[in-house]
Amino acid sequence: MATAADTRPDADLDAFRAEVKSFLAASFPDSLKGKGNALRSVEGPTDETAEETAWRTAMAERGWGTPTWPKEYGGGGLSKQQAKVLQQEMAMAGAWNPIGGMGVMMFGPTLLEYGSEAQKQEHIPPITRGEIRWCQGYSEPNAGSDLASLQTSAEDKGDHYLVNGQKTWTSGGQWADKCFCLVRTDRSDKHKGISFLLIDMDSPGVEVKPITMISGMSPFCETFFTDVKVPKANLVGEEGQGWTIGKRLLQHERTNISGGGALASLNAQPLSKIAEHYIGTDENGRLADPEMRVKIAEFEMAWNTFLLTARRAMEESKAKGGVSEISSILKNVGSKLGQQRAEMLIEIMGFRGLGWEGEGFTDKELKHVRGWLFGKATSIYGGSTEIQNNIIAKRILGMLDHQ
């Protein structure tokens, strides 16, 4: 059912667009254009410049880093139409959202749906201000694709839980302030014995060991919990509800990895423009390499079709009350296209796309090769392509298991 906020007259949207333009002109300096870092979440925290801090603060004050979240928790309280206008104007200005990470992508939307009022008041506002980092405690050495086999335990000790076990592939664990974690509170039932717990990463007994990747980055970690005390107030939902809550969060993750996350790429420089710089143009102003012209045209048609489909799917899901299994389709397609784009970027740049370190390469060129290598993980994390295919077969196509 449409709300009053979603049926605003065009005049109101025009007024809001003017407000956004004025805000961007006053708050987003030209010196920050093009400096949004897509790899920020996997490179770890860096010292903000004064301009970056001012930009983040300005967005946070309006709640526009999380534009559709409720105002009472620090969000923007915008309608879908207003959020679309904001996105359009930011793209035109070359502005990027300084507030993101797992708190925005996954945990926040899930807590808004399942958390208590006290939990929302405590945890959502710092996310909307970009003041806190969250990490995800899901996978374990023997519980990856079969996540429900997880063994990290949370023993009831009266006023707290005592957590013991190991998680792996904890993205950003070494930089995180808090962890949303799936734990086992009952061993008598595989799925109903799982609960959703919030853990402070600076608690005694928490140990994090980074895992170095082929890209040279270390965004993934092993995380060990040894007699970690967690207050009962940090349980989201009820005991045994963790599998339901955890699956909902994964839908948000998949949507953001692919569809929602890909929409940010509307701000990315088109491959055709990058190719003009590295390959050059002919006497007619066309890309000098005719074969590459065809490759780029075919890719950009597929890429833009995907972006539009992702936007439509997201809007339809929100209208129905949240994300759905369509996120699995978007995740598979988005991962494949993202990897294809990275491969083409390296091909376009030639040897300059293979720089690893040292002089002779720009910072952006050095980031491209590491991003290309890191991108190999996108078809694995957030649920592998094979897992998404199973979800699509069972929940969308209605296919049943045959033993």
Side-chain angles (χ1 to χ4, degrees), residues 46-341:
T46 56
D47 292 334
E48 283 185 328
T49 65
E51 286 186 328
E52 288 172 338
T53 299
W55 170 233
R56 177 173 58 81
T57 301
M59 285 286 282
E61 286 176 348
R62 289 176 176 257
W64 286 359
T66 49
T68 60
W69 290 16
K71 266 186 171 295
E72 58 263 37
Y73 305 120
L78 302 185
S79 68
K80 289 180 292 185
Q81 289 93 334
Q82 288 175 314
K84 186 175 180 179
V85 167
L86 175 62
Q87 183 184 63
Q88 290 171 343
E89 292 302 321
M90 287 180 65
M92 290 191 63
W96 39 274
N97 191 343
I99 296 170
M102 290 189 179
V104 172
M105 290 173 55
M106 297 179 273
F107 175 63
T110 307
L111 193 70
L112 285 171
E113 183 174 356
Y114 290 98
S116 67
E117 183 61 26
Q119 289 170 338
K120 294 175 190 177
Q121 292 287 354
E122 178 182 359
H123 299 298
I124 298 297
I127 295 174
T128 67
R129 296 191 296 265
E131 295 175 348
I132 191 168
R133 277 181 174 255
W134 283 87
C135 66
Q136 180 181 26
Y138 272 36
S139 296
E140 297 181 5
N142 293 310
S145 297
D146 184 15
L147 181 59
S149 294
L150 64 89
Q151 295 299 310
T152 295
S153 64
E155 185 180 356
D156 191 334
K157 291 293 185 180
D159 64 344
H160 68 275
Y161 292 102
L162 199 63
V163 178
N164 283 279
Q166 178 187 353
K167 297 293 180 178
T168 193
W169 307 122
T170 313
S171 300
Q174 70 271 54
W175 308 307
D177 303 294
K178 296 179 183 292
C179 175
F180 48 90
C181 191
L182 291 181
V183 297
R184 185 160 297 283
T185 49
D186 183 354
R187 297 193 179 277
S188 66
D189 189 292
K190 182 175 181 179
H191 294 89
K192 294 180 181 178
I194 296 172
S195 298
F196 196 98
L197 206 58
L198 310 181
I199 302 176
D200 288 336
M201 292 297 284
D202 61 357
S203 298
V206 177
E207 182 182 7
V208 179
K209 295 182 178 180
I211 302 170
T212 302
M213 311 302 290
I214 190 175
S215 62
M217 304 173 186
S218 298
F220 301 120
C221 304
E222 295 178 288
T223 305
F224 300 88
F225 301 101
T226 305
D227 291 337
V228 179
K229 292 183 178 180
V230 181
K232 283 284 187 70
N234 287 16
L235 175 70
V236 178
E238 300 176 357
E239 280 194 9
Q241 199 180 3
W243 186 245
T244 298
I245 298 172
K247 287 192 299 180
R248 187 65 160 176
L249 184 142
L250 287 175
Q251 289 180 326
H252 288 294
E253 179 183 26
R254 290 160 187 159
T255 298
N256 279 281
I257 287 174
S258 52
L263 293 180
S265 297
L266 287 169
N267 291 341
Q269 189 175 17
L271 286 176
S272 55
K273 293 297 182 183
I274 298 173
E276 287 177 4
H277 173 74
Y278 285 97
I279 298 175
T281 57
D282 61 18
E283 63 276 8
N284 297 314
R286 302 177 304 179
L287 193 64
D289 184 337
E291 183 178 351
M292 183 56 72
R293 280 206 307 266
V294 173
K295 285 184 178 181
I296 291 175
E298 290 178 342
F299 173 80
E300 292 197 340
M301 284 190 289
W303 182 244
N304 283 289
T305 299
F306 167 72
L307 291 177
L308 292 172
T309 302
R311 173 177 286 164
R312 176 173 56 81
M314 289 175 66
E315 290 178 352
E316 289 176 353
S317 293
K318 288 179 180 177
K320 294 176 182 178
V323 292
S324 67
E325 283 78 13
I326 193 70
S327 60
S328 292
I329 297 176
L330 296 177
K331 201 271 183 180
N332 276 1
V333 178
S335 295
K336 182 178 180 180
L337 286 173
Q339 291 173 343
Q340 184 181 346
R341 187 182 192 278

Side-chain angles (χ1 to χ4, degrees), residues 376-394:
K376 302 299 182 184
T378 60
S379 51
I380 300 173
Y381 67 61
S384 69
T385 297
E386 292 77 14
I387 292 297
Q388 305 312 320
N389 286 341
N390 285 341
I391 294 172
I392 293 166
K394 293 178 182 178

Side-chain angles (χ1 to χ4, degrees), residues 344-356:
M344 289 185 65
L345 194 56
I346 297 296
E347 185 177 355
I348 288 168
M349 295 169 65
F351 79 92
R352 300 198 67 81
L354 296 174
W356 190 253

